[in-house]
């Protein structure tokens, strides 16, 4: 799932799991990180923002939809319900990349295309194990926009994606 999106329990778990081995976060530190993630998610539903809520188009691989936690058995069901609820919003598009999808550029790793209002340029955010980096400039942006089009084409259509999430949720 896209970072920062999910139910409260899922966000707390993601914060705790995202901490490198050997580093302990106290309850206050976890609370601060959870609040940051929740605020980041809130911009998707904040109708008081100039221009309205931000738009999000996420392509999520099918395999994490099947994750089950021994310690939090209902967590994924809540996450899947949350995905469906978010997908009902007019500014959010969610597609599922099937496990047996044809090869596509998303296999090279996650990236985000961040479009800003004029006059600011579109920026590409790249994720790695050691953090993130940014690419900007017309040539880089064109490459990633073309890659995203190919990823969207390889993913299930929006309605089929909703059905995939629903059927996965029913099995959990």
């Amino acid at each position: 799932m896209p970072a920062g999106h999910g139910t409260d329990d899922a966000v707390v778990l993601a914060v705790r799991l995202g901490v490198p081995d050997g580093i302990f976060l106290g309850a206050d530190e976890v609370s601060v990180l959870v609040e940051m993630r929740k605020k980041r998610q809130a911009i998707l539903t904040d109708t008081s923002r100039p221009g309205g809520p931000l738009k999000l188009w996420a392509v999520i691989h099918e395999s994490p939809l099947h994750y089950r936690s021994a310690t939090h058995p209902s967590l994924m069901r809540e996450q899947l319900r949350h995905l469906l609820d978010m997908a009902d919003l007019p500014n959010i598009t969610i597609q599922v990349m099937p496990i047996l999808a044809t090869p596509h550029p998303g296999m090279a790793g996650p990236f985000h295309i961040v479009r800003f209002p004029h006059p600011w340029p579109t920026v590409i955010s790249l994720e790695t194990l050691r953090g993130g980096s940014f690419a900007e400039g017309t040539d880089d942006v064109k490459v990633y926009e073309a890659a995203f089009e190919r990823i969207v084409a390889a993913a299930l259509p929006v309605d089929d994606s909703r059905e995939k999430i629903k059927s996965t949720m029913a099995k959990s």
Side-chain angles (χ1 to χ4, degrees):
M1 315 255 154
H5 304 284
T7 62
D8 287 350
D9 288 343
V11 173
V12 170
L13 185 61
V15 166
R16 291 198 179 278
L17 293 176
V19 176
D21 288 341
I23 295 178
F24 175 77
L25 292 181
D28 291 342
E29 294 165 307
V30 170
S31 292
V32 167
L33 291 172
V34 167
E35 274 309 304
M36 281 178 24
R37 284 180 176 231
K38 287 166 82 174
K39 285 181 180 177
R40 196 168 57 196
Q41 182 177 348
I43 62 175
L44 295 172
T45 56
D46 184 359
T47 55
S48 68
R49 285 182 74 254
L54 288 185
K55 293 180 181 167
L56 173 70
W57 190 329
V59 179
I60 303 167
H61 198 275
E62 180 182 350
S63 58
L65 301 180
H66 298 283
Y67 172 77
R68 298 294 174 266
S69 169
T71 56
H72 301 16
S74 65
L75 187 62
M76 184 49 73
R77 185 174 180 75
E78 293 169 19
Q79 280 286 90
L80 295 173
R81 175 78 260 153
H82 181 72
L83 276 178
L84 290 171
D85 291 345
M86 296 300 285
D88 284 340
L89 300 175
N91 58 310
I92 296 178
T93 302
I94 296 176
Q95 286 182 267
V96 173
M97 182 64 70
I99 289 172
L100 299 176
T102 58
H104 55 83
M107 297 170 84
F111 64 90
H112 306 268
I113 300 172
V114 184
R115 292 189 177 95
F116 296 102
H118 183 75
W120 296 291
T122 297
V123 175
I124 307 302
S125 170
L126 305 166
E127 294 180 26
T128 68
L129 289 175
R130 299 200 35 114
S133 63
F134 296 94
E136 54 185 86
T138 306
D139 291 341
D140 285 337
V141 169
K142 283 182 182 177
V143 167
Y144 282 95
E145 287 179 332
F148 188 69
E149 287 177 18
R150 290 178 49 210
I151 291 166
V152 165
L156 295 174
V158 172
D159 290 340
D160 293 351
S161 294
R162 289 185 61 75
E163 289 306 313
K164 175 59 78 176
I165 294 168
K166 284 180 186 177
S167 69
T168 304
M169 192 169 87
K171 295 175 190 173
S172 63

